[in-house]
Amino acid sequence: MIIPAVTPNATYDFADEVRHGLSRRGQKELPSKYLYDEVGSALFEVISYLPEYGLTRADERLLRRYAGEIVDRVPAPVAVAELGSGSGKKTRWLLEELCRRQRTSYYPVEISRSALDMCERELRDIDAISIVGFEREYLDGLSEVTTYRQKNQRLLVLFLGSTIGNFDRPAGVKFLADVRRILDPGDFLLLGTDLEKPAEQLVRAYDDELGVTAAFNLNLLARINRELGANFDLSQFAHVARINRKARSVEMHLESRRLQRVKIPAARVTIEFQEGETIWTESSHKYSAMEMFKTAREAGFRCEAQWIDAEWPFAENLLVAA
Ligand code: AVI
């Protein structure tokens, strides 16, 4: 079952954020959450298979290998909420392990309806599972999930795939603290974080040879054309992946190849781009393994255990609400 979005004004919000992000003085920006429409979600799924981008496979390897250990640390009865479930494929390992021990309610929370549908199709064959998806922003969805939990049930919240890395560091801590406020003491958060790696490896991961990440990034302009009636000429923008050493992140930008003007009727603006000017569309922050212990404390959690992938440095951190 899927609880659909309650916001009838989704197109209006998109137009508003596009106008706001592109009319700024200085660096133009678009929120990375808009990368994930139906086409973007499908392209991200392809990215997860690219040899250059090992993040999703590392995440899945850890969950497959340590599902038993992770579940051992979370006393039953437990319900599972997942923030940004994506296709749900890597969550299967944890859910199967849990469902062998108890009947399990699983609550994926996603703003992308197509990802929720994909996730439900992927996981509904697991024995002893019930799935209720929420088409919501993460925190709104999680608050609603808590109204479904039974009295003695703990909540295990999954925030996998290093999606936390798409927030800047202070915003990441704030987000975790907001999650903590929704939870009860003793609830769990399993948090996936991509670890630091050499710059060249990161640039290759975010600017792959086949151009899938470039298409993923450019699709944001195509989406603005489709949904807001804009006239972006995609051939006049180039995908760029850059390292930001100070922020310890990789940034994705779309760089204008020439001086040009773009009309976005539903956002009631015309935007001028200088040659070489960029739109910043996403940051992926990378972490040290130790830093999560401190970050967890700052947000009101305790990091109880950590599992690290040897092939592609990535950590699964099990946090307990203090
Ligand atoms: C979803 N998120 C954690 C991915 C990342 O690595 O930041 C999105 C992505 N962007 C480009 N490639 C993948």
Side-chain angles (χ1 to χ4, degrees), residues 32 35-36 44 47-48 50 53 55-56 138 160-166 194 205-208 213 216-217 239 250 252 282-286 314:
S32 61
L35 291 164
Y36 300 90
F44 179 62
I47 289 174
S48 71
L50 295 172
Y53 187 83
L55 188 157
T56 314
Y138 296 148
L160 304 173
S162 201
T163 302
I164 186 75
N166 297 135
D194 198 24
Y206 289 83
D207 191 6
D208 62 278
T213 311
F216 173 65
N217 199 7
H239 165 70
V250 196
M252 293 204 310
E282 186 192 64
S283 286
S284 297
H285 292 80
K286 307 300 168 188
F314 185 97

Side-chain angles (χ1 to χ4, degrees), residues 163-177:
T163 302
I164 186 75
N166 297 135
F167 295 85
D168 65 34
R169 282 183 160 73
V173 176
K174 182 180 177 303
F175 178 77
L176 294 178

Side-chain angles (χ1 to χ4, degrees), residues 40-228:
S41 299
L43 286 167
F44 179 62
E45 184 66 16
V46 179
I47 289 174
S48 71
Y49 290 95
L50 295 172
E52 297 98 324
Y53 187 83
L55 188 157
T56 314
R57 290 188 298 281
D59 195 14
E60 185 171 357
R61 244 186 331 268
L62 288 169
L63 295 174
R64 191 176 56 216
R65 196 167 292 162
Y66 298 111
E69 274 186 37
I70 294 168
V71 169
D72 282 348
R73 286 178 177 269
V74 181
V78 59
V80 180
E82 180 163 18
L83 308 180
S85 57
S87 72
K89 241 200 266 158
K90 55 182 186 272
T91 315
R92 168 177 285 277
W93 305 104
L94 276 180
L95 291 174
E96 280 183 345
E97 188 64 45
L98 263 168
C99 288
R100 267 196 282 277
R101 304 176 191 206
Q102 56 152 70
R103 204 174 162 78
T104 304
S105 301
Y106 170 58
Y107 304 105
V109 178
E110 264 288 348
I111 55 163
S112 158
R113 174 66 195 230
S114 52
L116 271 183
D117 288 336
M118 218 191 319
C119 167
E120 198 182 24
R121 275 198 306 275
E122 170 71 29
L123 299 171
R124 65 183 165 207
D125 67 305
I126 298 178
D127 276 343
I129 196 165
S130 86
I131 305 179
V132 179
F134 291 85
E135 191 181 351
R136 298 280 187 279
E137 300 272 353
Y138 296 148
L139 296 174
D140 293 344
L142 185 59
S143 294
E144 240 175 290
V145 167
T146 59
T147 66
Y148 279 63
R149 79 193 293 183
Q150 282 152 20
K151 247 197 171 157
N152 60 341
Q153 229 175 15
R154 263 170 230 278
L155 209 55
L156 167 62
V157 179
L158 309 177
F159 195 34
L160 304 173
S162 201
T163 302
I164 186 75
N166 297 135
F167 295 85
D168 65 34
R169 282 183 160 73
V173 176
K174 182 180 177 303
F175 178 77
L176 294 178
D178 289 342
V179 169
R180 168 63 193 89
R181 268 190 285 282
I182 296 170
L183 300 181
D184 289 343
D187 284 339
F188 289 85
L189 171 64
L190 186 67
L191 179 68
T193 49
D194 198 24
L195 302 181
E196 290 166 304
K197 343 197 134 42
E200 315 72 62
Q201 186 180 4
L202 286 177
V203 171
R204 267 184 273 123
Y206 289 83
D207 191 6
D208 62 278
E209 207 181 355
L210 214 53
V212 184
T213 311
F216 173 65
N217 199 7
L218 282 161
N219 175 57
L220 187 45
L221 303 185
R223 179 178 182 179
I224 297 173
N225 285 350
R226 286 191 294 269
E227 296 182 21
L228 305 180

